[in-house]
Amino acid sequence: MRFLTTLLFLLSFSSIASANCTGPNVYSSLAESERQALETKAAEAPFSQGLLWRAEKNGVVSHLVGTFHVHLPEHAAMVTRLEELTPQPEKVFLELTDEDQLDFQRHLTQNPDSYLIQTGPSLIDRLGPELWDHVVVQLQERGMPPFLAARYQPWFLGMTLMLPPCAYEVVKSGKKGLDQQIAAMAKANNLPTQSLDSIDGLLTMLASDPLEEQMEDLRWSLSLNTDLAAPDLMGAMVAMYLDETIQLIWEFGSAETFKNVGDNKDKARLAQLLKQAEDDLIVTRNTAWTEVLTKELSKAPALVAVGALHLPGESGVLAQLQDAGFTLTRLPLDAPKNN
């Protein structure tokens, strides 16, 4: 059920009512005891805090930065900070380079069977009026005509709706997230870039489940939140990112997900699926990436830019690099040159 890898983020980490990606911060409204419990759990994870890291092995020094995929005003200062690092990288590693992102889009265009329901009923009939109306509201909040999505396979619908409405507005404005800004920096400095993900790997992770299994997951997931009452979590998560309390983002988002589920059977299923989502979306990719990075970062200085949630945890990129013999040092984002 890898489709839920993305759909769970839709249900728990975004909100239809969201109008501003920078607020409000609902985390501060939680009871102090609840915040303390989440922060204690987050602190148990290795490398639970920090966005910028120095990795050294055999005298070769590289840097890793945790990114936020949607534009934030603070990104400009982060890019400046990265330009000042020493030694300067000889190569930049990204989840997907700009070229590979275009190739992924071309692949979908040339292979519509991979993301469209080509035969049989559309989602309108497969979901029924109540659940389809739920999807319609979410599409309209993002400025998308519902009829365009009626033939989407559930995994692709999940990808489409994964960003909250505020983020859609930012993306449509042409403003770039930190990953894309780093890619532009690399291009301006004639630095080669390399993808850590592959198109085949992403499609296997996201789209390999049979259509009927995807539909079952979609119906169940939408049924958890048909009242559209989920709080706006984006502001809180942006604040945590900027505070560099990265593991707390996962703990908070996971806890809020369970608040929308009352039935014990659903809670058990959700716990299983969240674990699967973590394994598929984060842990498996971290392990594959680290196999590449342990070799490459031992050869020459590099800059690694991956989503911030890939850094912390026992299976995080940082812990895996440490296990491979790298010395990890956290760097402040506002440090002077020569770090």
Side-chain angles (χ1 to χ4, degrees):
M1 291 181 275
R2 289 189 173 94
F3 157 68
L4 274 164
T5 296
T6 48
L7 193 62
L8 284 170
F9 280 84
L10 158 67
L11 291 173
S12 60
F13 296 156
S14 64
S15 165
I16 293 179
S18 179
N20 185 342
C21 282
T22 59
N25 185 346
V26 298
Y27 182 73
S28 59
S29 66
L30 297 180
E32 182 179 355
S33 59
E34 188 174 356
R35 295 197 306 271
Q36 288 180 346
L38 291 171
E39 290 164 13
T40 298
K41 187 174 182 180
E44 294 173 355
F47 305 102
S48 63
Q49 299 188 23
L51 283 175
L52 182 60
W53 293 84
R54 173 188 172 107
E56 182 175 1
K57 185 177 182 180
N58 299 329
V60 180
V61 175
S62 295
H63 294 88
L64 298 93
V65 62
T67 66
F68 196 85
H69 299 315
V70 179
H71 172 83
L72 298 175
E74 292 81 1
H75 284 159
M78 292 183 186
V79 172
T80 299
R81 174 73 173 101
L82 296 176
E83 290 176 331
E84 296 174 346
L85 293 171
T86 55
Q88 284 291 293
E90 297 179 13
K91 191 173 189 178
V92 175
F93 290 90
L94 302 159
E95 292 184 33
L96 274 185
T97 64
D98 289 346
E99 293 78 8
D100 284 344
Q101 288 185 51
L102 288 174
D103 285 344
F104 186 73
Q105 294 171 15
R106 292 191 194 101
H107 177 87
L108 294 179
T109 301
Q110 295 167 5
N111 300 273
D113 285 346
S114 64
Y115 76 100
L116 293 177
I117 300 173
Q118 297 278 57
T119 60
S122 70
L123 288 179
I124 300 174
D125 294 321
R126 292 174 188 265
L127 287 174
E130 182 179 0
L131 294 182
W132 176 248
D133 286 347
H134 177 66
V135 174
V136 166
V137 174
Q138 301 202 33
L139 291 167
Q140 291 175 337
E141 288 288 335
R142 292 158 175 80
M144 296 182 62
F147 73 90
L148 291 179
R151 285 283 172 185
Y152 285 175
Q153 292 183 24
W155 79 266
F156 193 71
L157 177 67
M159 287 287 291
T160 303
L161 297 180
M162 186 169 61
L163 289 177
C166 65
Y168 256 77
E169 292 303 314
V170 173
V171 170
K172 287 193 294 185
S173 73
K175 296 179 180 179
K176 300 180 183 299
L178 185 55
D179 313 73
Q180 293 175 304
Q181 292 186 41
I182 291 172
M185 179 188 75
K187 184 176 181 180
N189 289 283
N190 296 314
L191 293 174
T193 58
Q194 179 176 326
S195 295
L196 292 169
D197 278 325
S198 68
I199 293 175
D200 287 344
L202 288 174
L203 285 173
T204 298
M205 178 180 70
L206 297 171
S208 61
D209 290 340
L211 179 59
E212 285 309 311
E213 187 172 324
Q214 293 184 43
M215 288 303 309
E216 179 186 352
D217 291 341
L218 178 59
R219 294 186 194 99
W220 179 79
S221 300
L222 293 175
S223 71
L224 297 180
N225 197 30
T226 51
D227 62 358
L228 311 182
D232 176 6
L233 307 184
M234 192 68 170
M237 293 181 174
V238 169
M240 292 173 187
Y241 174 79
L242 296 176
D243 287 342
E244 303 188 52
T245 53
I246 307 307
Q247 183 65 25
L248 186 59
I249 296 174
W250 179 265
E251 304 300 344
F252 172 59
S254 299
E256 289 298 312
T257 304
F258 281 95
K259 290 182 180 179
N260 291 323
V261 182
D263 183 87
N264 286 336
K265 183 178 180 181
D266 283 340
K267 285 183 181 293
R269 182 175 183 180
L270 184 57
Q272 178 186 3
L273 293 172
L274 272 174
K275 179 62 167 60
Q276 177 186 297
E278 184 178 16
D279 288 344
D280 287 350
L281 189 63
I282 299 179
V283 176
T284 298
R285 294 166 75 204
N286 288 352
T287 301
W289 296 351
T290 307
E291 289 179 2
V292 174
L293 294 175
T294 52
K295 299 176 183 177
E296 295 289 340
L297 301 189
S298 299
K299 298 176 182 177
L303 174 63
V304 181
V306 295
L309 283 176
H310 292 281
L311 297 182
E314 294 181 359
S315 299
V317 170
L318 295 174
Q320 292 196 46
L321 285 175
Q322 186 177 66
D323 289 343
F326 286 83
T327 299
L328 281 299
T329 305
R330 180 182 175 183
L331 299 179
L333 288 175
D334 58 354
K337 295 181 181 181
N338 301 321
N339 286 288

